Amino acid sequence: MRARDRGRDRAQDRNRHRSRHRDPDRTRNRTRDRDPDRRPGARERRTGLRSVAGQVFALEALIALLVIAAAVFVTLHQARSDTEHDARIRSLAVAEAFAKSPGVDEALTSRDPTAELQDRAEATRRATGVDFIAVLSPAGVRYTDSEPQLIGRRATGDLTRATVDGESFTELFRGAPNDAVRAVVPVVDDRGRIVGMVTSGIELESVADAVEGRLPLLVGAAAGALVIAVGGAALVSRRLRRQTHGLGPAEMTRMKEHHEAVLHAVREGVLIVGADRRLLLANDEARRLLGLTADAERLHVSELGLDPRTVELLESGRSATDEVHRAGDRLLAVSVRPTIPDGHESGSVMTMRDTTELAALTGRAAVARGRLQLLYEAGVRIGTTLEVVRTAEELAEVAVPRFADFATVELLEPVLRGEEPPEAAAATTEMRRTALSGLRPDQPLQPVGDIVRFDVPSTPMATALGAGHAVVQAELAAAEGWRAQDPEGAAQALAFGMHSLLTVPLLARGVVLGMANFWRADTPEPFGEEDLSFAEELAARAAVAIDNARRFTREHTMAVTLQRSLLPRVLPEQSAVDVAYRYLPAKAGVGGDWFDVIPLPGARVALVVGDVVGHGLHAAATMGRLRTAVHNFSTLDVPPDELLGHLDELTARIDDRSEGPEGEGRRREEGITGATCLYAIYDPASGLCTVASAGHPGPALVSPDGRVEFPELAPGLPLGLGLGDVPFEVTELRLTEGSKLVLYTDGLLEDRGRDLDTGLGLLRSTLARPDRSPEQICADVLATLLSPSPRDDIALLVARTRLLERDRIAEWEVARDPSAVSPVRNAAAAKLAEWGLEDLAFTAELILSELITNAVRYGADPVRVRLLHDRALICEVSDGSSTSPHLRHAATTDEGGRGLYLVAQYAESWGTRYGRRGKTIWAELRPGAAGEPAPAALPDMDALEDLAW
């Protein structure tokens, strides 16, 4: 019983142990502890395993681990088998001893076998150390058992071998109550009858506990064996690491490849000499240079037939770098290094290369190196700008002093202007000196800006131009043609010390652009034939840069000319605002900025600024078309938001070629993706300014006292983005007289090193000074914000507002009654007389009569009449109807239809504009207008009121 209880306790302990090991947090911690990448030194150990020694160590350790693990497994298995066998023998012995003990057979046939045998069986179990002893009936029913609750129950398992055959046996029993090694022995009475059975056994848990008891000793022995095996492997690995220097298989393979390369492929001689000064290795190149035989290895260096200086160098053990030693008729550059740095007994490595021909080439190579470096610098320094003159100056600066003492560059006049150079040879005999650079300022050459002629064909310059390549005049004193061209200048140059000249034409695309002349005075060596190729290469690079600058100058000039022709040359006369403007094209390329001032009916004025995205001719042309479109749309006299809507639709279709693949590519290259525009209408009669923006920066508003504001506008979308369904919004500003409205493009604010906010701050501080005219404001703004090289166009428009004096405005409200026409007409005539416009009275009465009569008959309330006395007399009649009148020719039989025709005949201009409610028909008359008919030629004004449109 106690043994079985102990077995259960041990089983529970094992289960608790296993559950504890199955704790996920502990499992994670152990996993993290076992992670080799997280332990210190893991990287170093992995690096060590890459070596041959490390891999041998790992392999030996793995083999030892596998052998020891197999031994432990076999030992455990054998121990379990032996323990189980021992359990069978012991169980059988106990069962047989109990079955044959005196009185057992009699007890089995007694009235109460349990009472007779239970205590006896338990005493025997405790004494023998088995886990259980049970006495069974022939039918297998328990009379006794270690667990009293099982008495009276039938034992499980096959017991026929004992009950039928009378055989004692042992078996590995698996079933209730526990798995065990069980022995079954029949009990036979004196008459040979089987009266019962005795079973005894040891549970498998007890067998396992017996095996586990041996486990610590077995594990200790295995660990010791593993330590001994790993230690032996470590010693072997350490020895191998010393011999292989910690190299891995790949390194050793490469070392072998390098060794073969040094021996056979390297074109530099290599000798390796040991500490005893005997030859260890000589590669093929060293054998060739020194004439060594195949059996020269292991010979002393003094026996190799080397030059005494070379033998002394190898025997001394000192280091050397590029020492020149003789080997037969060769000159060798020899370098020597010890094989073991800082070693007392070290061999040496000697490398050698043949420098026989190199010595002769050293000087020329240095010169060639310098020329190549100079060409590289020329490629970097020449052509940094797209200016013809500056590019010529860069060519002269590069050549002095490293190639010439003085350098001059002459260019043809058309090239300087950006035009195409002439192809005729006769046109190249006269050039303008564009650049001059020299070692000293007191030079005798013609200054920059002078005309240089080559009239004498035998001059070096004329010869080079005619031949199309560089020409060297080594001795200037012998150049008869050069001296004949300008005897006085030649004499001064020779007296100054000029003694050699190299002249080369500047050719681009086979056409002469100019020429470059290189002079030597302080340098004693004259130019030679070897300088020709360098001079031509230098001139070719410079010619390409000059031609690029020329072409850019031409295109820039064309674009600027086109843009200036498309911008307003003279602002129109108007009384609403005083205007000043500035326009500056970008240095890098003309853009699409524009501005405009457009007079509108009713003494109003439209102020416009815009910016086409992109640069170049196409941007300028697009700007011109947009400006023309704004002029055309302004004649419709629509509000700013409607005008921008029309302009947006037009911009999307302004270039049909952009719809195809080629047009799209061209549009992408030129950077044209839309345009911005700001359109403002100012009315001097009311002081109201209506503004709408299509993606353009809003205006700056400067009050008469100098206070600067940037009114918030609905920004809108840029023109031409295909988003025409998004409406533009109008902002209304009430301006006092003398206010300044400043319109600009973003090129004024943004530039390299300055963002939009910084530009707005500078603009605010510049505008915050009162009592300045628009011209002064433009000058101050550009002086503050303009950078030396603006990268974008700049358009600036400053308008100072005026208000029409109240005594020059007359307004009347007209009732919807034909009889109300005459009083208004008479009041208008009186106001014209007050203004001193009696000469316009009859015509004005005629026009007002027609317009008011039409409004009364066909319009809607309210009907108003307004006269404005500005540069012209403006008559306006407005009503609440949106019906537009049309000019037509009435037939001779028609009773009406001639009213608008009369207005068109007698007014200098007329038109209709629509408001949010209703319309206004206006007519403009100028004092002293010719063609006014005599009053007698027309019917009475009251009769004209009856005429219909």
Side-chain angles (χ1 to χ4, degrees):
M1 249 333 250
R2 284 196 297 271
R4 186 174 297 179
D5 294 340
R6 286 196 302 272
R8 287 200 196 91
D9 293 340
R10 285 194 294 270
Q12 292 173 0
D13 292 340
R14 282 196 302 272
N15 292 336
R16 285 195 297 270
H17 182 70
R18 292 181 186 130
S19 65
R20 201 163 48 240
H21 277 270
R22 285 194 296 269
D23 183 10
D25 294 335
R26 295 180 180 178
T27 303
R28 282 194 297 271
N29 292 335
R30 289 197 308 277
T31 302
R32 185 167 56 250
D33 293 338
R34 289 196 301 267
D35 188 356
D37 289 335
R38 302 188 182 212
R39 292 198 303 269
R43 183 174 301 277
E44 288 78 1
R45 283 192 288 274
R46 284 202 305 272
T47 303
L49 290 178
R50 293 196 182 101
S51 65
V52 173
Q55 293 180 12
V56 170
F57 168 75
L59 183 59
E60 290 182 347
L62 179 61
I63 293 174
L65 180 62
L66 292 176
V67 170
I68 294 172
V72 170
F73 174 76
V74 171
T75 303
L76 287 175
H77 181 74
Q78 185 63 38
R80 184 177 183 86
S81 178
D82 293 344
T83 305
E84 184 178 327
H85 179 69
D86 184 57
R88 287 177 182 270
I89 295 174
R90 190 148 57 100
S91 299
L92 183 60
V94 171
E96 287 182 347
F98 189 85
K100 296 178 180 179
S101 62
V104 174
D105 54 348
E106 295 174 359
L108 286 172
T109 57
S110 67
R111 296 175 62 89
D112 190 1
T114 301
E116 295 288 340
L117 299 174
Q118 175 67 22
D119 293 339
R120 186 175 176 182
E122 281 300 301
T124 303
R125 181 184 67 80
R126 287 192 292 271
T128 59
V130 296
D131 289 335
F132 65 89
I133 295 178
V135 180
L136 310 178
S137 68
V141 177
R142 291 184 177 88
Y143 290 141
T144 67
D145 197 89
S146 301
E147 298 181 11
Q149 66 271 19
L150 296 178
I151 297 175
R153 295 185 183 181
R154 184 179 179 84
T156 59
D158 185 10
L159 304 175
T160 57
R161 293 173 60 186
T163 58
V164 178
D165 301 334
E167 179 185 351
S168 299
F169 65 91
T170 61
E171 65 178 351
L172 184 62
F173 173 75
R174 297 188 183 276
N178 292 307
D179 298 340
V181 175
R182 182 174 70 174
V184 180
V185 178
V187 180
V188 183
D189 60 7
D190 296 337
R191 292 180 292 180
R193 292 182 303 159
I194 297 174
V195 295
M197 293 174 288
V198 176
T199 65
S200 67
I202 299 174
E203 295 179 354
L204 293 182
E205 289 187 0
S206 299
V207 175
D209 291 341
V211 174
E212 290 179 359
R214 303 180 188 178
L215 191 59
L217 178 61
L218 186 60
V219 171
L226 182 61
V227 169
I228 293 173
V230 171
L235 292 176
V236 174
S237 175
R238 182 178 180 184
R239 178 72 174 178
L240 185 60
R241 183 177 292 108
R242 288 179 179 176
Q243 294 179 351
T244 61
H245 301 283
L247 297 177
E251 288 85 353
M252 296 187 71
T253 302
R254 281 199 300 271
M255 182 181 293
K256 175 63 175 175
E257 294 173 351
H258 296 169
H259 180 269
E260 294 297 326
V262 169
L263 283 179
H264 307 297
V266 173
R267 305 314 300 169
E268 184 170 301
V270 178
L271 286 183
I272 300 180
V273 179
D276 57 355
R277 302 300 179 253
R278 292 186 176 275
L279 180 63
L280 298 180
L281 183 142
N283 69 348
D284 295 347
E285 183 67 9
R287 294 178 185 276
R288 184 184 70 84
L289 294 175
L290 299 177
L292 300 179
T293 60
D295 56 352
E297 291 184 1
R298 299 308 303 167
L299 293 178
H300 196 273
V301 293
S302 60
E303 302 171 357
L304 297 178
L306 302 178
D307 183 76
R309 290 184 61 247
T310 308
V311 174
E312 185 274 331
L313 174 62
L314 289 174
E315 289 181 340
S316 66
R318 64 182 176 87
S319 299
T321 301
D322 288 339
E323 289 189 6
V324 179
H325 290 252
R326 183 172 294 279
D329 58 350
R330 291 188 176 94
L331 293 178
L332 303 180
V334 174
S335 297
V336 179
R337 293 291 184 273
T339 55
I340 303 176
D342 301 327
H344 298 290
E345 294 294 332
S346 172
S348 57
V349 178
M350 183 175 76
T351 61
M352 63 199 79
R353 61 182 182 276
D354 192 353
T355 61
T356 306
E357 297 180 359
L358 184 61
L361 297 175
T362 300
R364 284 181 288 174
V367 174
R369 244 188 339 264
R371 297 289 171 81
L372 287 176
Q373 181 65 27
L374 185 57
L375 283 177
Y376 170 77
E377 293 180 8
V380 175
R381 293 173 57 184
I382 298 177
T384 57
T385 66
L386 289 174
E387 298 179 4
V388 174
V389 174
R390 180 55 193 155
T391 305
E393 292 173 349
E394 290 170 345
L395 169 59
E397 292 169 359
V398 164
V400 176
R402 295 168 61 182
F403 180 65
D405 298 334
F406 294 88
T408 61
V409 180
E410 292 80 41
L411 297 178
L412 296 171
E413 288 287 352
V415 174
L416 290 171
R417 296 192 298 267
E419 301 173 0
E420 287 290 338
E423 297 185 3
T428 62
T429 59
E430 184 176 296
M431 300 182 184
R432 185 173 297 276
R433 177 148 293 170
T434 309
L436 190 153
S437 179
L439 294 176
R440 291 178 283 167
D442 55 334
Q443 44 80 27
L445 303 174
Q446 290 179 257
V448 173
D450 276 13
I451 298 296
V452 179
R453 295 181 176 84
F454 314 113
D455 297 331
V456 180
S458 59
T459 60
M461 296 79 166
T463 303
L465 289 173
H469 57 75
V471 171
V472 170
Q473 184 65 50
E475 294 293 334
L476 273 177
E480 298 295 338
W482 173 69
R483 299 175 64 179
Q485 175 74 41
D486 183 10
E488 183 179 354
Q492 293 177 356
L494 292 174
F496 182 81
M498 298 286 186
H499 63 85
S500 185
L501 168 67
L502 193 157
T503 180
V504 56
L506 300 175
L507 302 174
R509 297 174 288 111
V511 180
V512 175
L513 304 178
M515 70 182 323
N517 297 309
F518 305 104
W519 312 76
R520 282 185 179 174
D522 297 348
T523 303
E525 294 82 7
F527 288 110
E529 297 296 328
E530 65 276 5
D531 297 316
L532 288 176
S533 59
F534 169 78
E536 289 182 345
E537 179 66 23
L538 181 63
R541 297 190 181 195
V544 171
I546 291 173
D547 191 52
N548 290 337
R550 178 197 62 79
R551 296 171 66 182
F552 173 80
T553 301
R554 180 190 61 183
E555 294 180 4
H556 184 73
T557 303
M558 292 173 59
V560 169
T561 303
L562 173 63
Q563 190 174 42
R564 291 193 181 277
S565 67
L566 296 174
L567 289 172
R569 299 182 181 181
V570 179
L571 295 182
E573 295 183 359
Q574 43 80 36
S575 303
V577 291
D578 293 330
V579 178
Y581 64 90
R582 294 290 187 276
Y583 172 77
L584 294 175
K587 293 292 184 183
V590 173
D593 293 12
W594 92 92
F595 66 92
D596 217 333
V597 178
I598 306 173
L600 297 177
R604 298 170 303 144
V605 65
L607 305 174
V608 191
V609 290
D611 183 4
V612 175
V613 178
H615 294 84
L617 289 174
H618 190 78
T622 303
M623 176 272 292
R625 285 183 282 186
L626 288 178
R627 178 172 175 260
T628 302
V630 170
H631 269 273
N632 292 335
F633 289 138
S634 67
T635 59
L636 301 176
D637 205 0
V638 294
D641 55 340
E642 293 186 25
L643 185 140
L644 291 181
H646 292 310
L647 196 62
D648 181 45
E649 295 178 5
L650 175 66
T651 305
R653 307 188 308 267
I654 201 167
D655 194 350
D656 292 338
R657 292 175 298 170
S658 65
E659 297 177 359
E662 296 181 359
E664 183 64 29
R666 177 187 51 76
R667 188 181 182 92
R668 206 165 37 242
E669 289 175 3
E670 296 176 355
I672 301 172
T673 57
T676 62
C677 183
L678 182 73
Y679 190 85
I681 296 178
Y682 174 68
D683 185 357
S686 61
L688 182 66
C689 181
T690 57
V691 186
S693 172
H696 200 86
L701 181 60
V702 185
S703 61
D705 59 357
R707 185 166 49 90
V708 180
E709 298 179 7
F710 293 95
E712 293 187 4
L713 305 181
L717 295 172
L719 304 172
L721 296 184
L723 302 175
D725 55 342
V726 180
F728 297 97
E729 297 183 25
V730 170
T731 301
E732 294 185 349
L733 305 174
R734 188 70 64 175
L735 306 182
T736 59
E737 187 171 13
S739 300
K740 286 97 173 176
L741 197 64
V742 181
L743 285 71
Y744 51 86
T745 56
D746 57 1
L748 179 68
L749 303 180
E750 295 180 311
D751 201 52
R752 297 180 180 89
R754 185 177 69 198
D755 57 11
L756 181 61
D757 293 337
T758 304
L760 285 174
L762 291 174
L763 181 61
R764 180 190 295 274
S765 61
T766 306
L767 296 177
R769 284 180 280 173
D771 302 328
R772 287 181 299 166
S773 66
E775 282 290 338
Q776 292 173 329
I777 291 176
C778 286
D780 292 344
V781 167
L782 290 185
T784 303
L785 278 82
L786 184 63
S787 63
S789 298
R791 61 178 180 179
D792 198 2
D793 291 14
I794 295 176
L796 176 64
L797 185 65
V798 180
R800 181 171 56 191
T801 62
R802 297 175 181 172
L803 286 177
L804 199 61
E805 298 176 2
R806 299 307 304 172
D807 58 358
R808 299 172 75 88
I809 303 174
E811 296 180 285
W812 296 276
E813 188 97 11
V814 182
R816 292 287 305 283
D817 186 354
S819 62
V821 177
S822 181
V824 174
R825 186 183 66 231
N826 295 333
K831 179 58 70 174
L832 293 177
E834 178 183 339
W835 288 341
L837 301 177
E838 293 86 352
D839 57 335
L840 296 178
F842 180 79
T843 305
E845 288 183 56
L846 172 63
I847 291 174
L848 286 174
S849 178
E850 296 299 329
L851 297 180
I852 296 172
T853 300
N854 180 71
V856 169
R857 287 185 178 182
Y858 306 109
D861 287 331
V863 179
R864 293 186 178 89
V865 177
R866 186 172 73 161
L867 296 181
L868 301 176
H869 183 198
D870 190 36
R871 293 176 179 270
L873 176 64
I874 303 168
C875 305
E876 296 180 347
V877 177
S878 59
D879 65 85
S881 173
S882 297
T883 304
S884 175
H886 297 283
L887 179 65
R888 63 188 181 91
H889 294 278
T892 56
T893 56
D894 290 344
E895 296 182 358
R898 299 174 179 83
L900 196 59
Y901 178 76
L902 292 176
V903 172
Q905 288 293 318
Y906 286 95
E908 182 170 336
S909 60
W910 70 279
T912 305
R913 69 173 178 269
Y914 296 91
R916 295 182 178 177
R917 293 184 57 189
K919 65 179 181 297
T920 299
I921 302 178
W922 57 270
E924 189 173 294
L925 302 173
R926 291 190 179 273
E932 181 180 332
L938 291 172
D940 184 73
M941 291 297 173
D942 294 329
L944 288 174
E945 293 175 6
D946 296 330
L947 292 175
W949 292 92

